[in-house]
C-alpha cells in the first residue's frame, strides 16, 4: 500500500500558556497521498496557515505527529528538519518570492545549490524542470521581465525541482486575476496528476475545486471534508453534464 | 429559460426538424437543460401559429418536417440577442427559502444546514471544475493538432466546446457564489448571536465561536 506523502495525526498547536493560551489547531488529522491535491478552506483565524506551517516543518506541533514521506518530524532535530525541508518539500507563496537578481532558471536551481549541488548541475536540473512544465521560454528571464502568472509558475517549478514531491501552496492565486490564477492551478493540478502531492490553502471555493478534496477548518478543528472525487465517468453520467 | 427563443436561435443557423433541434440544443448547452422532443414539437407548433417559423416543405421519407425562420422570426431572434434578460422577477430558490425558514423555526441547527449545503455545493463545484478541465484539455489538444481538410468540422466542434465551456463556467460561478453566500450566512448568524437583545433560539445555540476575525474569543469559549 502506498504511504502518504504527508500525514498529520491528531495534531494540536497551542500558542501561549495558561489563561491566554490559544489552540490554533486542535486534534487535526489529515493525509495527502502521492498524486493527490488537497485544498484547505476556512475563515480567517481558522488555523489554515498554522496547518501549512506544521506540514512544512516551519513550526512544530504541541502534540500529535507530522510525518513527511515516512519521516516523523518530532524525531528529527532542527538540522534534520531543515534538510528534509530543502530536499522533500516545496513552498509556493502568494507573492511568488522569486529573487529579483536571478533568472528563472537560477531561481529554480537555488534550492539545489543551497543543498550543496554544484551550480552548473543545479542550473541543468532547473532547466529540465522548467522544460517539463512548458516554461522553457522563461528560463533566462528575470522576475521583472515576467507577468505575475509566469512568476508563480516558475515558483511552482522551484517548489518541485530535484526530488521534491510535496508542494505546500499558501493562496498561490491570491495576487492573480481569474484567468491567470486558473493557469497556475492547472500547472499545479498537472504536477499532482503526475504523482506530486499538494496541499493548497485558499479561501476561494472556485480554486479549491481544482483539488481532489476539500477540508474545512474552523476554530482549529476539521469540521468537514468533501471526500474523494468522483471519477470522470461518474461525472459524465450526472444530469448536469453531457 | 425560454425554449422558444433557444429553438429560434438555432433555426437562425439553418432549417432543422424537431429531433435535430433537441440534439443541437442539448449539445450546445452540455445537456444542462434537457428537452423532451414533445416539448420541442409543441413549441414549434406555437411558433408556426404565430408566424415565426414555417415548414420548409413536405415530410421526408421518415416523416420528419424541417422548419425555418420566417422574416418575422428572424427579426424576433435579432431582438432577443440585443435585449437584456429580465432579472426583475425573483426566482424561487429552495436553499434561500430553507435557510430563511431555518432561522425562524425553533429547534433547527442552522449551522449544520449551512455546512451540509456548503459541502454538497463544493462537491458539485469540484465536479464542474473537472469537466471544465476536460474541455480545456481537449481544446489545447485541438490547438496542437495539424490542420487539414477536416478543419471546418473541427471549427464547428471547437465552437460547441466553447459554448459548453461558457455554460460550465456559469455553473461554476453560480456554485462559487452560493458557497460565498453560505460563508456569509454563518458570519451573519454569529454576529446576530452576539447581540445582547437577541432572543436565544435554535441558531444561536449551534453556532461556531469563530466565524471570522474573532480569534480572541476562542480562549474564552474553551475555558
Amino acid at each position: 500500500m502506498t504511504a502518504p506523502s504527508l500525514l498529520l495525526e491528531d495534531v494540536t498547536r497551542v500558542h501561549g500558556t495558561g489563561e491566554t493560551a490559544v489552540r490554533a489547531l486542535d486534534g487535526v488529522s489529515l493525509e495527502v497521498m502521492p498524486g493527490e491535491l488537497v485544498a484547505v478552506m476556512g475563515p480567517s483565524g481558522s488555523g489554515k496557515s498554522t496547518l501549512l506551517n506544521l506540514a512544512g516543518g516551519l513550526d512544530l506541533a504541541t502534540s500529535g505527529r507530522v510525518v513527511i514521506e515516512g519521516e516523523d518530524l518530532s524525531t528529527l532535530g532542527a538540522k534534520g528538519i531543515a534538510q528534509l525541508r530543502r530536499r522533500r518539500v516545496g513552498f509556493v507563496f502568494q507573492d511568488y518570492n522569486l529573487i529579483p537578481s536571478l533568472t528563472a532558471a537560477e531561481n529554480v536551481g537555488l534550492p539545489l545549490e543551497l543543498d550543496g549541488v554544484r551550480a552548473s548541475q543545479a542550473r541543468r536540473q532547473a532547466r529540465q524542470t522548467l522544460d517539463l512544465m512548458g516554461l522553457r521560454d522563461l528560463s533566462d528571464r528575470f522576475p521583472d521581465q515576467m507577468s505575475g502568472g509566469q512568476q508563480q509558475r516558475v515558483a511552482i517549478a522551484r517548489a518541485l525541482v530535484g526530488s521534491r514531491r510535496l508542494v505546500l501552496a499558501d493562496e498561490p492565486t491570491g495576487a492573480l486575476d481569474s484567468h491567470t490564477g486558473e493557469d497556475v492551478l492547472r500547472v499545479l493540478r498537472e504536477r499532482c496528476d503526475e504523482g506530486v502531492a499538494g496541499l493548497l490553502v485558499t479561501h476561494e471555493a472556485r480554486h479549491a475545486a481544482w483539488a481532489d478534496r476539500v477540508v474545512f477548518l474552523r476554530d482549529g478543528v476539521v469540521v468537514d471534508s468533501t471526500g474523494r472525487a468522483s471519477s470522470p465517468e461518474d461525472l459524465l453520467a450526472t444530469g448536469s453534464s453531457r | 429559460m425560454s425554449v422558444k427563443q433557444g429553438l429560434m436561435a438555432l433555426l437562425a443557423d439553418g432549417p432543422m426538424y424537431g429531433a435535430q433541434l433537441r440534439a443541437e440544443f442539448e449539445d450546445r448547452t452540455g445537456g444542462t437543460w434537457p428537452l423532451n422532443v414533445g416539448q420541442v414539437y409543441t413549441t414549434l407548433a406555437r411558433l408556426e401559429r404565430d408566424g415565426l417559423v414555417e415548414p420548409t416543405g413536405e415530410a421526408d421519407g421518415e416523416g420528419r418536417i424541417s422548419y425555418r425562420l420566417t422574416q418575422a422570426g428572424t427579426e424576433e431572434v435579432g431582438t432577443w440577442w440585443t435585449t437584456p434578460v429580465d432579472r426583475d422577477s425573483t426566482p424561487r430558490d429552495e436553499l434561500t427559502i430553507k435557510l430563511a425558514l431555518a432561522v425562524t423555526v425553533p429547534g433547527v441547527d442552522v449551522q449544520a444546514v449551512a455546512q451540509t449545503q456548503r459541502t454538497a455545493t463544493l462537491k458539485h463545484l469540484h465536479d464542474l471544475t473537472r469537466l471544465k478541465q476536460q474541455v480545456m484539455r481537449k481544446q489545447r489538444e485541438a490547438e496542437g493538432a495539424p490542420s487539414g481538410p477536416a478543419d471546418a468540422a473541427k471549427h464547428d466542434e471547437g465552437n460547441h466546446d466553447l459554448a459548453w465551456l461558457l455554460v460550465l463556467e456559469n455553473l461554476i460561478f453560480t456554485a462559487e457564489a452560493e458557497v460565498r453566500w453560505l460563508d456569509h450566512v454563518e458570519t451573519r448568524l454569529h454576529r446576530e448571536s452576539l447581540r445582547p437583545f437577541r432572543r436565544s433560539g435554535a441558531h444561536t445555540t449551534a453556532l461556531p465561536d469563530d466565524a471570522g476575525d474573532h480569534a480572541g474569543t476562542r480562549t474564552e469559549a474553551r475555558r
Side-chain angles (χ1 to χ4, degrees):
Chain A
M1 189 180 151
T2 313
S5 299
L6 172 67
L7 173 69
L8 277 76
E9 219 170 55
D10 200 17
V11 169
T12 293
R13 178 68 171 103
V14 181
H15 295 293
T17 53
E19 292 282 292
T20 56
V22 173
R23 299 171 85 85
L25 275 191
D26 193 356
V28 168
S29 294
L30 174 72
E31 62 175 35
V32 185
M33 302 301 288
E36 191 179 31
L37 179 60
V38 176
V40 181
M41 292 188 76
S44 304
S46 61
K48 302 190 296 289
S49 296
T50 303
L51 174 64
L52 209 65
N53 289 340
L54 289 169
L58 295 171
D59 189 11
L60 289 177
T62 309
S63 64
R65 292 201 316 147
V66 177
V67 182
I68 296 175
E69 295 183 342
E71 300 259 23
D72 185 339
L73 298 197
S74 66
T75 65
L76 304 173
K79 258 179 131 175
I81 291 177
Q83 189 185 64
L84 183 121
R85 244 189 347 248
R86 282 199 306 274
R87 294 183 180 170
R88 310 271 185 88
V89 188
F91 293 89
V92 180
F93 304 97
Q94 180 172 330
D95 47 4
Y96 329 130
N97 285 6
L98 298 180
I99 295 176
S101 57
L102 300 181
T103 64
E106 288 165 346
N107 264 290
V108 173
L110 190 61
L112 299 176
E113 285 191 60
L114 292 174
D115 200 33
V117 176
R118 280 203 322 275
S120 58
Q121 197 186 335
R123 208 72 48 80
R124 194 164 52 247
Q125 280 196 54
R127 285 180 186 279
Q128 280 170 358
T129 305
L130 286 164
D131 278 4
L132 192 69
M133 292 175 58
L135 303 173
R136 177 186 296 192
D137 295 348
L138 304 179
S139 297
D140 297 320
R141 289 200 208 168
F142 289 93
D144 66 359
Q145 296 171 318
M146 293 186 275
S147 68
Q150 288 171 331
Q151 289 187 60
Q152 195 60 301
R153 279 177 279 169
V154 169
I156 293 174
R158 181 185 56 188
L160 293 170
V161 73
S163 57
R164 294 186 291 176
R165 308 292 285 165
L166 172 63
V167 60
L168 305 175
D170 193 357
E171 302 278 6
T173 55
L176 303 172
D177 66 52
S178 176
H179 276 97
T180 315
E182 200 163 75
D183 285 343
V184 168
L185 287 167
R186 183 169 56 79
V187 166
L188 188 58
R189 179 71 261 176
E190 284 171 0
R191 306 320 302 151
C192 291
D193 288 342
E194 287 168 14
V196 164
L199 189 63
L200 165 72
V201 164
T202 179
H203 65 275
E204 297 267 2
R206 190 157 37 89
H207 294 163
W210 285 75
D212 294 296
R213 60 196 164 96
V214 183
V215 170
F216 295 96
L217 276 181
R218 187 190 298 126
D219 207 14
V221 177
V222 173
V223 290
D224 208 352
S225 166
T226 58
R228 287 200 159 76
S230 318
S231 69
E233 292 73 24
D234 290 342
L235 300 184
L236 290 168
T238 61
S240 66
S241 59
R242 59 178 175 181
Chain B
M1 164 65 206
S2 164
V3 175
K4 171 188 154 186
Q5 307 291 6
L7 298 187
M8 287 174 68
L10 286 173
L11 288 174
D13 213 10
M16 283 181 229
Y17 51 85
Q20 223 174 355
L21 279 166
R22 177 193 172 203
E24 282 293 321
F25 182 86
E26 293 193 357
D27 185 46
R28 296 186 198 199
T29 56
T32 310
W33 300 280
L35 291 180
N36 68 56
V37 84
Q39 197 177 5
V40 173
Y41 280 111
T42 310
T43 308
L44 281 172
R46 280 199 207 115
L47 290 171
E48 188 180 1
R49 181 198 65 197
D50 296 341
L52 297 169
V53 304
E54 61 191 6
T56 56
E58 296 298 312
D60 65 12
E62 294 181 43
R64 297 175 305 205
I65 300 174
S66 288
Y67 289 85
R68 66 181 165 221
L69 290 177
T70 60
Q71 182 58 35
T74 304
E75 283 167 16
E76 174 131 345
V77 172
T79 306
W80 188 53
W81 293 130
T82 54
T83 308
V85 173
D86 178 17
R87 295 291 189 209
D88 286 346
S89 58
T90 307
R92 197 173 290 150
D93 180 76
E94 185 183 343
L95 177 60
T96 314
I97 294 168
K98 189 194 265 191
L99 277 159
L101 292 177
V103 295
T104 53
V105 173
V108 179
D109 184 344
V110 190
Q111 186 210 344
V113 173
Q115 181 64 48
T116 303
Q117 184 62 48
R118 186 167 43 200
T119 304
T121 307
L122 257 170
K123 177 84 171 41
H124 179 56
L125 183 56
H126 173 262
D127 291 349
L128 293 168
T129 304
R130 291 190 82 195
L131 288 170
K132 178 180 165 176
Q133 279 174 257
Q134 285 185 340
V135 179
M136 289 171 70
R137 196 174 301 131
K138 194 175 156 197
Q139 281 186 322
R140 283 199 302 278
E141 284 165 7
E143 279 167 17
S147 53
D151 277 0
K154 274 188 203 163
H155 180 73
D156 273 356
E157 196 181 343
N159 279 345
H160 286 209
D161 283 342
L162 176 60
W164 172 220
L165 196 57
L166 292 178
V167 171
L168 273 175
E169 285 177 335
N170 172 274
L171 299 173
I172 284 169
F173 277 99
T174 305
E176 184 194 28
E178 188 169 290
V179 172
R180 291 179 66 180
W181 178 66
L182 288 164
D183 286 342
H184 177 79
V185 165
E186 282 201 326
T187 307
R188 166 72 64 210
L189 291 172
H190 176 65
R191 288 188 179 162
E192 287 293 313
S193 74
L194 297 176
R195 288 164 66 171
F197 56 84
R198 187 90 201 161
R199 280 185 303 145
S200 62
H203 65 283
T204 57
T205 55
L207 284 169
D209 60 327
D210 175 16
D213 39 10
H214 296 283
T217 64
R218 277 181 278 164
T219 318
E220 284 298 320
R222 288 181 182 284
R223 279 180 202 158

